[in-house]
Amino acid sequence: MPLRYLLLLSLGLLRLPTRAQTRPDTTRAVVLPEATVTGYGQRLPLRRTAAAIGIIDARVIAQFSPTALTQAVNTLPGVRLEERATASYRLSIRGSSLRSPFGVRNVKVYYNGIPFTEAGGSTPLNLLDPAIIGRLEVLKGPAGSVYGAGTGGVALFGTPAVAAGVSRVAVGATVGSYGLRRSTITVETGSATSSIRAQYAHQSLDGYRQQSALQRDVFALDTRTVAGPKTTLAAHLLYTDISYQLPGGLTRAQYAADPRQARPGTATAPGTVAQQAFYASRTGLLGLTHEYRFSDKLELQTTLYGSGTVIRTPYLVDYERDTGVGVGGRTALRYRTALAGRVLRLQGGGEFQAGFTDGRSYQNNGGTPGALRYNDEIATTTGFAFAQADYSLPADFQLTVAASYNRLRYRIARVSSAATQPNDYQLSRDFQPVVSPRVALLREFSPNLSVYASVSTGFSPPTLDEIRTSDGRINGDLQAERGTSYEVGARGNFFANRLTYDVNIFDLELRQTIVSSTTSQGIVVFRNIGSTHQRGLEAALSGWLWRETGPVSSPENAQTAGRGLRAWASYAYNDFRFGSYTSGTTDLGGNRLTGTTPHTLSAGLDFSERLGFYLSPSLSHQARIVLNDANTEEAAGYWVFGARGGWRRSFGRLETNIYGGIDNVTDRNYSLGNDLNAFGGRYFQPAPGRAWYAGTQVGWRW
């Protein structure tokens, strides 16, 4: 099928000017730096990176509600962050949410360079608060060979950097609809050789739906120091205490009658309110990074981490109490030299993770644990080695060749069960070693235009939650997904960087695709099918409709650098379909992939002026989405509008930011984060209606 596409995207990312640029009476105009990509181990401009990459920074995040990252992440074409219940996130990159009934699957996530995806394959995005995120870089598709196995992509989260020579303390508060109460405090200081940043964020919410309240406390500590002429050390601590209720899915009739209700009970089974369904966890993560420069050409970076978590979650039937620990590390050796008079960059290294979980399941008696159903001890080890070479060819071509070698092992021992004798069940599952290569070629025609093409393969084994479902079943037959991706793209700018664009088309051929379905008790189960064809286009456009190019006349105007009116838009077209897929006697080949939509669009304006006033209206559109493999059920498409504005200004050392916003202005009823192939037609997880918020932040800088 020919792809119909629009040329839209590129988020025109800005940075605050340096201190030298903010001195009074200077005549220097604001310069917009080009985004730098760090994801492939080389700090290269985006235009010189042969891959589809999306980047957002703190400026983009600040255009939306401070309560969640959903809207900011969804400005990236081909990337969807959904929220089934409050803080229950699903992240998909160039694909459906077939494998993501809850949590994150098939996407590798890092936090400040620390592996954030657990050894078992799941990623707890609910631990992150928007206030502690300063940058997100997304590598789309199976192009992250330096990050091991995967067919979805890689997401790299980073905390805000601390400016040298600046010390600062700031406090903030936000209130809003549905009982929103939020507070933050930040303390940071930096010098030429070291920095430290500590941040605490608290958020509570009564919730839009019945049984959807939230309590979350997040503490993040980041330190960095230059320990010697060749050595840099960094440490990152993250602690999150979170609890949120689970309202459950609704049928179409229930959704139409009252989208704010929780899943009601039936004559044979209680609902989520009666069972007090919720998720609660306490998690700590500590990572240490050591960088050593042997010379200007050779450097070694090593990261070690440890984590611990305690989870308790009553579902409709069972009450889970899990305790887990994880350890791991990553090392990368990078070398830069010349071959035949041209630049050659080499890097190689590896990553290892191990996790142990004591998982216990009890009967759920109205939100309290009853009799023990089973107790499992689960050990997981995973690791990979990688290598990559980037070589500058004649005629401004750049060649990239990379590969990773991946291993994974699960060991599950059922030490106690209500149905069997203790110590009588064990499962050991080893996935065969797989080499995942990637080849890419880029041609830079000028600083204003580059074109690239790439071929990459991916290997995505099932996660622990897919092999061991929440009802205690062990699916030992589940196989790993394997895929090959073909991609071409172009990016550049016109009119002296006033208009930027980024566009690509791709074809991901996936085999042994893992799909999910939900039982009558709300248990999600998984199975492999034959194949899927995931083809699409992603595009973005960003341009200045009007831009202030005069001098930055006072320090307070530093926070409105890049003043003017900028328009942006991102669009994705998806033609995702099942290939060979037979369900019983029914041939589903050619059906649209469950959980996908053919069109998504995000667009908006970003206005700021010299007195400190700013406004960021935006819109989001998603076309209809299919809810089951047979394509007989769909969720309606929707348009959602919102805006955030305020006044931001500095008075000497005092910084102020007063803001307010509104989401879902038209009070549109829509479902975000639908349950796929849900038993009894309970597909719908209604999103909040019209919601306002207002807040202020006050800081002191010295």
Side-chain angles (χ1 to χ4, degrees), residues 335-359:
Y335 181 63
R336 185 177 186 272
T337 186
L339 178 64
R342 299 189 176 277
V343 176
L344 173 65
R345 296 181 178 89
L346 301 172
Q347 61 174 311
E351 184 175 305
F352 174 80
Q353 291 181 270
F356 177 82
T357 300
D358 180 15

Side-chain angles (χ1 to χ4, degrees), residues 666-687:
T666 60
D667 202 23
R668 178 76 162 88
N669 285 335
Y670 68 102
S671 179
L672 181 64
N674 305 282
D675 292 343
L676 308 179
N677 293 313
F679 183 88
R682 297 184 181 91
Y683 300 110
F684 302 97
Q685 296 275 0

